[in-house]
Amino acid sequence: MIPSRQFPLALSAAGAIALGLATPLQADEHEPAWAQGRSAEMADSPLAPHATPLTVTEKEDIPLDQLRMPDGFSAEIWAHGMPGARMMARGDDGTLFVGTRSIGRVYAVRDNGDEREHVIIAEGLTQPNGVAFKDGSLYVAAINRIFRYDDIESQLADDVAEPEELTEAFGLPDDEHHGWKFLAFGPDGRLYIPVGAPCNGCEVDEDTHATIHSFEPDGSDMRVEARGVRNSVGFDFHPETGELWFTDNGQDWLGEHGPQDELNRLSESGEHFGFPYCHAHGVIDPELGSEGACDGVTMPAALMGGHTAALGMRFYTGDMFPEEYRNAIFIARRGSWNRTLSDGYDVQVAHLSEDGERAAISPFMVGLLDPRENAFSGRPVDVLQMPDGSLLVSDEQNGAIYRISYETPEYME
């Protein structure tokens, strides 16, 4: 269990600097949320989040030719023209539903063979990032509001019927800071929903914020599955064990290279993953932690880099890719803003250890970050396996979805 939270300060300002951590600065209520916790040493820092384009990127301007993958893999533009495309869910009849954050839309993409067409099925919502599909119904999460669109795939040729609103039943908090959601149904049939910390770093009610909850599909029977989870925007369930694996974004303004983002494994409901007292693989928070703050914390299965924004992730269970990818995890890293030299903007692959408790991370799809110019041309946010075993990757920056496929190279035949 996690020790008592009535801790004195773990480190003095000088001690924090000696460990490479920035000293905390009290939040200014007039500052934007992303600036909370900015250190006194970095008060004049030019670092700030990168704005997401809200207009269509023309197909010829999408940087497909920059993508690089291992031998045998290739990428194509599967769909485009959807500003802000982020999280994805696939319907029973093959419709791809795509949530957004800043633009407030939900898209539906139909595959007509040689090309894909999309329609906007919802707009004007507040950060409708989370989408999930079950039993013919689409579930959409827009901060605290939950909607269910019944029989949605039969309505796309006409006006979509008004959804059933389940907001009151789920009773989620309405904080916008880290309030955007990821949705997924577990092997137990329950709907899993993260609730991020409403801050950069602060103490929270551990039954409400910095958690992953699960519910019955109607919003009843809430359970807290994981605590101490600062901001998870992607998870999936191991195809054999059913264990929940999830990404978690590390705290900003504590240093250029950390605390690192995490890939975590939940082996038992109710585990604590450290926030806000313990970060990454045992980094004690310089303001809220103290000696022993990491005792009883479940450590990450792997670290994902400092401020890389590891988001959507899925286990690969298809037959198209080589056997070495079976039951590996593909993870989209949207890319950093809270570091001078950028990192991320790619898709990584996590190969699990033999005991299934740890993972080794390696690059899979790269090329959207130019380290020489310290500039990026795309921001992967989510991944989704298709029935044929190919992999879709959403690119929020370009409003596009890539399809990655594999054919054995001739020299390997």
Side-chain angles (χ1 to χ4, degrees), residues 226-266:
R227 294 180 171 87
V229 181
R230 178 179 176 272
N231 181 32
S232 178
V233 198
F235 44 77
D236 198 8
F237 301 85
H238 192 289
E240 295 177 358
T241 68
E243 291 176 329
L244 174 67
W245 288 66
F246 61 92
T247 57
D248 189 15
N249 288 180
Q251 190 165 317
D252 296 320
W253 300 116
L254 290 183
E256 283 271 339
H257 305 290
Q260 293 196 45
D261 289 2
E262 304 169 9
L263 173 65
N264 288 298
R265 163 181 166 264
L266 179 71

Side-chain angles (χ1 to χ4, degrees), residues 162-237:
E162 288 294 319
E164 180 79 13
E165 183 160 0
L166 303 175
T167 298
E168 185 175 349
F170 280 87
L172 297 169
D174 62 1
D175 311 273
E176 290 193 23
H177 194 182
H178 298 146
W180 49 91
K181 302 293 188 292
F182 178 83
L183 301 181
F185 282 97
D188 54 6
R190 295 172 65 86
L191 183 59
Y192 286 68
I193 306 178
V195 179
C199 56
N200 177 40
C202 63
E203 293 191 310
V204 298
D205 180 339
E206 294 183 346
D207 288 329
T208 304
H209 290 97
T211 58
I212 297 177
H213 293 66
S214 74
F215 302 81
E216 290 296 328
D218 62 1
S220 63
D221 190 30
M222 186 277 287
R223 294 200 305 245
V224 179
E225 303 289 353
R227 294 180 171 87
V229 181
R230 178 179 176 272
N231 181 32
S232 178
V233 198
F235 44 77
D236 198 8
F237 301 85

Side-chain angles (χ1 to χ4, degrees), residues 317-359:
T317 60
D319 295 324
M320 178 186 288
F321 293 2
E323 182 62 27
E324 66 190 89
Y325 292 97
R326 180 63 63 89
N327 293 344
I329 307 171
F330 287 100
I331 305 168
R333 299 196 305 175
R334 183 173 178 262
S336 61
W337 67 265
N338 190 230
R339 55 185 297 164
T340 304
L341 296 178
S342 299
D343 196 7
Y345 307 94
D346 57 19
V347 174
Q348 301 278 306
V349 61
H351 293 281
L352 274 57
S353 60
E354 289 188 7
D355 62 9
E357 297 181 1
R358 297 290 180 264

Side-chain angles (χ1 to χ4, degrees), residues 111-128:
D111 190 346
N112 297 320
D114 294 333
E115 61 181 16
R116 266 61 58 190
E117 297 179 351
H118 70 269
V119 295
I120 299 170
I121 60 174
E123 56 186 334
L125 299 176
T126 303
Q127 302 182 16

